[in-house]
Amino acid sequence: MKKSILFILFLSFFAGSAQENLTFQQPSKDILALADYERTPSVNMDSKKEYMLLSYRSTYKTLDELSQEEMRLGGLRINPITNISSTVTYINNLKLRKVKDKVETQVNGLPQNPKITNIAWSQNEKKIAFTNTTATGVELWVIDVATASAKKITDANLNANLGNPFNWMNDNETLLVKMLPKNRPALIDSKKDLPKGPTVSTGDGKVSQNRTYQDLLKNPTDEANFDALVTSELYKVSISGKIELFKPAAIYAGESFSPDGNYLMITTIHKPYSYIVPLSRFPQKSIVYNTNGKEVKVVNEVPLTEIMPKGFSSVRTGKRNMSWRSDKPATLSYVVALDEGDQAKKVDYRDEVFSWDAPFSATPISILKTQQRYGGIVWGNETTAIAYDSWYDTRNQKTYLFNPSNPNQAPKIISDRNSQDIYSDPGDFETKRNQYNRYVLAIEGDNTYLIGEGHTKDGQFPFIDEFNLKTLKTKRLYTSKLKDKKEDLLSIEDFKKGDALVQIQSKNDFPNYYFRNIKSGKLTPITNFQNPFESIKNVYKETRSAL
């Protein structure tokens, strides 16, 4: 009898529970304040440190954002309704402030319930462009910095499926924008539309050891949907709203203007596609045009790259890392492997760097050969540049000082270290904007500067070094002496006065920006963000010894 009563009570409880219509619950006010706190804004300053843009976003994504439709194709994750990455984190408010002032100004005219991303300053830093994602697509907006006012420039017809869909042109009045094609085909629903034939893969018998990639194309339906989603038309769009077709529909993977603004390099993706590697290894073609859209030169063609030599220091053959030199008006640089991209081959030099002046009718000039795999260049001026190379298996990293105008002058090794040895890290070379509004090596007389994180056995003490380009010797200008706080050295703002932009934080002090004079040590506050966890700042861990 006792067992029967317990069983009936259990059924009654189960039935009652099943009938409850529960909604999402919230914790107590104090706990909720800690979990759903208001994030401090991200700070984006112009190069002169006159204005700062404050970007605000929610602490968490909404359920609506998390439940949006997603398609995974060619290594991309796309929202097919809005035509932007499904993984993007949006900004919901923008404010402007003069750095020397204390009060922010709300940007007027922002869209209702904004979903902002892809923020970019114009070349003269008087305007800021951004995209806003609506329920049906992506719009282009522009902010006038002086008046802190925003206005919509286009309808929700931008194609942001391959990243930022716009680039500022050098006139500061026009943007090059990727838009959805007017005759865009409808997407194929694989659940409703039956395939017209089998999925066929071909092999040529060559052995390839590829990594495992996510979200690859799997069949012809995926290929058709990939084409539809990433194909765009290129338009010139003025901030007044005038729209002019610049290039017809294609898969535009990259657009970059030369520093002087007279040339535009456009990279497009082509077939055949692959089912074993992502879109970054699909066939590509790079063509340089003038600003009127007339073709100047096909500068690079890359075939489908499914087969690669084994090893993390192996690369594909052909021209790599093609980009505009920051120190020249219109010069491309690129790299070619001297070991056929195969790290197993024994050679004296692994990579060779070339420089190629517009209009690209002359033969490219070799300016550097690296002993290990090319790792990048910080351009300075006609006679000065910094190059890096590295080798994965040994973790070795070398830094070179070389003369890009004299290939016969041997590069000088100024650093040769294990990349995992953070104690020996000499820091990163400081850069500044040149006449083309591109960042180049900051050279003052015979000196340039290094900003280092300063890891030591006693703690982290960031530093600034002066590096002499003739003697190759460094001189320590500043070392942070803070022990109970963390100081990050972000940039040098005035080399003669010794002013640097820094960020300081501690376990109880929220990260804030300051100007630090490295000669006097004086700190000038820029921001005063409050700690959202003030109520628990004195909480500590208490340990008790075992009895």
Side-chain angles (χ1 to χ4, degrees), residues 436-449:
Y436 306 117
N437 295 313
R438 302 296 176 96
Y439 282 91
V440 295
L441 194 64
I443 302 174
E444 299 287 321
D446 293 330
N447 297 316
T448 187
Y449 301 87

Side-chain angles (χ1 to χ4, degrees), residues 195-405:
K196 297 179 181 179
T199 300
V200 179
S201 297
T202 60
D204 56 9
K206 294 181 180 179
V207 177
S208 176
Q209 297 184 2
N210 277 317
R211 300 180 179 93
T212 301
Y213 295 100
Q214 292 182 313
D215 311 326
L216 300 176
L217 301 179
K218 300 179 182 66
N219 49 54
T221 296
D222 281 354
E223 289 193 53
N225 285 336
F226 175 81
D227 266 337
L229 287 168
V230 299
T231 298
S232 305
E233 294 173 340
L234 271 182
Y235 286 85
K236 284 184 178 180
V237 180
S238 71
I239 59 175
S240 64
K242 180 182 176 182
I243 298 177
E244 175 187 352
L245 180 66
F246 183 74
K247 284 294 169 186
I251 303 177
Y252 295 104
E255 311 84 44
S256 62
F257 286 96
S258 61
D260 64 4
N262 293 328
Y263 297 92
L264 170 65
M265 181 170 66
I266 296 178
T267 300
T268 51
I269 293 175
H270 299 268
K271 291 182 176 181
Y273 302 148
S274 172
Y275 295 175
I276 63 174
V277 293
L279 79 163
S280 59
R281 288 168 64 171
F282 292 177
Q284 297 183 14
K285 179 185 287 189
S286 296
I287 303 175
V288 173
Y289 300 89
N290 64 22
T291 51
N292 294 321
K294 182 180 179 181
E295 181 178 315
V296 176
K297 184 76 172 180
V298 177
V299 293
N300 199 14
E301 291 186 81
V302 181
L304 176 64
T305 309
E306 289 186 326
I307 298 174
M308 291 269 290
K310 183 180 178 181
F312 287 105
S313 291
S314 292
V315 295
R316 64 169 176 81
T317 57
K319 300 171 186 174
R320 313 185 329 266
N321 300 88
M322 181 171 280
S323 62
W324 298 104
R325 282 181 55 169
S326 304
D327 62 329
K328 305 274 279 183
T331 298
L332 288 170
S333 68
Y334 64 87
V335 184
V336 173
L338 298 176
D339 56 4
E340 298 181 347
D342 189 350
Q343 70 171 56
K345 293 190 175 182
K346 304 298 181 183
V347 294
D348 293 331
Y349 296 98
R350 293 288 176 179
D351 280 329
E352 186 171 13
V353 183
F354 291 86
S355 187
W356 200 5
D357 293 334
F360 316 107
S361 53
T363 303
I365 299 172
S366 171
I367 60 173
L368 178 70
K369 292 181 180 180
T370 60
Q371 299 175 24
Q372 304 179 121
R373 194 62 71 204
Y374 172 82
I377 290 178
V378 181
W379 301 103
N381 54 33
E382 287 281 349
T383 60
T384 306
I386 302 293
Y388 300 91
D389 72 12
S390 62
W391 200 248
Y392 180 84
D393 289 353
T394 61
R395 305 300 195 271
N396 181 259
Q397 183 182 72
K398 290 183 176 65
T399 307
Y400 303 85
L401 173 65
F402 76 102
N403 183 346
S405 297

Side-chain angles (χ1 to χ4, degrees), residues 9 14 26 61 67 85 91 105 167 191 206 253 257 399 424 435 438 454 546:
L9 288 172
F14 182 82
Q26 288 188 344
K61 286 192 174 186
S67 62
S85 170
I91 293 163
T105 300
N167 285 276
K191 297 178 181 178
K206 294 181 180 179
F257 286 96
T399 307
S424 67
Q435 69 270 34
R438 302 296 176 96

Side-chain angles (χ1 to χ4, degrees), residues 15-52:
S17 298
Q19 293 169 1
E20 290 186 20
N21 236 342
L22 290 176
T23 59
F24 291 110
Q25 303 296 297
Q26 288 188 344
S28 65
K29 183 179 179 180
D30 293 338
I31 299 299
L32 184 62
L34 294 174
D36 193 23
Y37 65 95
E38 182 178 347
R39 298 180 67 95
T40 56
S42 299
V43 175
N44 186 347
M45 300 186 194
D46 64 14
S47 64
K48 298 183 181 68
K49 302 302 181 284
E50 293 179 358
Y51 283 92
M52 65 169 68

